């Protein structure tokens, strides 16, 4: 069984379009994350979200918005896509934002904006 | 600012031992993680250190010195499948993971 699954795996779209990436975890974790991994391979946190709190990285443009219909899902919506948005986006989850709790990652979504 | 430094790339021989270093400057410290990431795949958890010392897990060991802001990942009896990127990440005072860029490890026969 896949622990953290995200779809689609690949996404090619034109500038200016709006797109969504879906993420679901079946681990019963209470915190979910979205990361962006750019060409330099840095993993940068975009959002972290649990039942109580959404933490937004202030460097993330407001064209990006997380949507969580329930505890097991955290989708990423992107409006007015730009060339610089091309990257691999990873969804992840962890048990709690406390000690010794590693993050489990989805397979990644490779977004290419043309 | 917060910073995680690791070498960009290392090369080692199958069957040998390699040590990948990580130094960090972060706002607080609540643990250090090592992850493995094969090309085109998701990072997977390898080890966690929160106290000084060595944690051993099979062929992989991880060491932490909080006073020096330093960790290393030691891989023994290298296998071709160990060719991957190894990511160091520190959980800061806000419990956010701060990531290094990763070290690409190339294993040669």
């Amino acid at each position: 069984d896949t622990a953290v699954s995200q779809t689609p795996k690949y996404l090619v779209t034109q500038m200016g379009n709006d797109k969504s990436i879906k993420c679901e975890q079946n681990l019963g974790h209470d915190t979910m994350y979205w990361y962006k991994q750019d060409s330099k391979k840095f993993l940068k946190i975009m959002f972290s979200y649990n039942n109580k709190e959404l933490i937004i990285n202030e460097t993330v443009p407001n064209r990006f918005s997380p949507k969580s219909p329930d505890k097991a899902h955290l989708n990423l919506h992107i409006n007015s896509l730009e060339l610089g948005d091309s990257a691999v986006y990873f969804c992840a989850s962890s048990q709690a934002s406390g000690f010794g709790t590693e993050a489990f990652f989805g397979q990644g979504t490779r977004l290419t904006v043309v | 600012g917060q910073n995680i430094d690791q070498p960009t790339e290392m090369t080692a021989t199958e069957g040998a031992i390699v040590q990948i270093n990580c130094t960090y400057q972060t706002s607080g410290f609540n643990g250090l993680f090592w992850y493995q990431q094969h090309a085109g795949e998701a990072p997977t958890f390898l080890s966690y250190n929160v106290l000084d010392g060595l944690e051993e897990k099979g062929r992989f060991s991880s060491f932490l010195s909080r006073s020096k802001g330093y960790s290393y990942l030691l891989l023994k009896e290298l296998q071709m499948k160990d060719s991957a990127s190894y990511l160091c990440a520190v959980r800061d005072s806000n419990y956010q993971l701060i990531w290094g860029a990763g070290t690409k490890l190339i294993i040669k026969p």
Side-chain angles (χ1 to χ4, degrees):
Chain A
D1 286 342
T2 303
V4 182
S5 61
Q6 54 182 110
T7 55
K9 187 172 182 179
Y10 299 96
L11 182 55
V12 181
T13 188
Q14 291 185 326
M15 276 195 304
N17 284 349
D18 302 337
K19 291 293 179 184
S20 295
I21 306 172
K22 295 184 177 180
C23 179
E24 175 182 6
Q25 54 96 3
N26 62 7
L27 297 168
H29 288 168
D30 57 13
T31 305
M32 296 184 73
Y33 311 85
W34 276 105
Y35 286 90
K36 179 180 180 182
Q37 189 169 38
D38 60 23
S39 57
K40 295 182 179 179
K41 305 301 182 185
F42 280 103
L43 268 171
K44 295 180 182 176
I45 184 77
M46 300 177 71
F47 306 100
S48 66
Y49 183 79
N50 62 23
N51 287 338
K52 302 172 185 175
E53 190 176 13
L54 171 65
I55 300 174
I56 301 172
N57 183 326
E58 61 187 15
T59 66
V60 175
N62 58 15
R63 298 181 294 104
F64 291 78
S65 57
K67 296 285 194 300
S68 180
D70 55 56
K71 184 178 167 180
H73 296 83
L74 184 65
N75 303 323
L76 182 66
H77 296 269
I78 316 169
N79 294 326
S80 303
L81 278 155
E82 300 177 357
L83 291 176
D85 298 332
S86 296
V88 181
Y89 292 83
F90 286 101
C91 176
S93 71
S94 65
Q95 180 59 38
S97 55
F99 286 100
T101 52
E102 70 269 29
F104 291 80
F105 285 81
Q107 63 181 355
T109 296
R110 183 174 294 276
L111 172 65
T112 303
V113 182
V114 297
Chain B
Q2 307 204 87
N3 196 46
I4 309 282
D5 287 317
Q6 15 177 168
T8 303
E9 186 173 300
M10 299 182 70
T11 302
T13 304
E14 190 177 14
I17 299 173
V18 71
Q19 177 175 310
I20 303 174
N21 296 325
C22 170
T23 58
Y24 63 89
Q25 297 105 32
T26 56
S27 303
F29 178 85
N30 282 304
L32 185 143
F33 296 81
W34 283 95
Y35 281 78
Q36 181 190 60
Q37 187 177 24
H38 285 99
E41 297 182 9
T44 54
F45 170 76
L46 285 178
S47 69
Y48 170 74
N49 295 71
V50 68
L51 299 176
D52 291 351
L54 188 68
E55 294 283 341
E56 298 188 76
K57 189 185 291 186
R59 294 189 298 115
F60 294 4
S61 304
S62 56
F63 172 82
L64 174 68
S65 169
R66 288 172 295 171
S67 63
K68 296 181 179 179
Y70 168 70
S71 173
Y72 67 73
L73 180 70
L74 191 71
L75 292 76
K76 302 177 184 176
E77 301 170 13
L78 285 168
Q79 302 175 9
M80 298 303 292
K81 68 177 182 179
D82 297 330
S83 292
S85 288
Y86 292 85
L87 305 169
C88 174
V90 172
R91 199 187 295 278
D92 68 8
S93 57
N94 293 320
Y95 291 96
Q96 293 295 325
L97 280 173
I98 310 300
W99 295 83
T103 298
K104 183 178 180 181
L105 178 62
I106 300 169
I107 309 297
K108 295 185 175 180

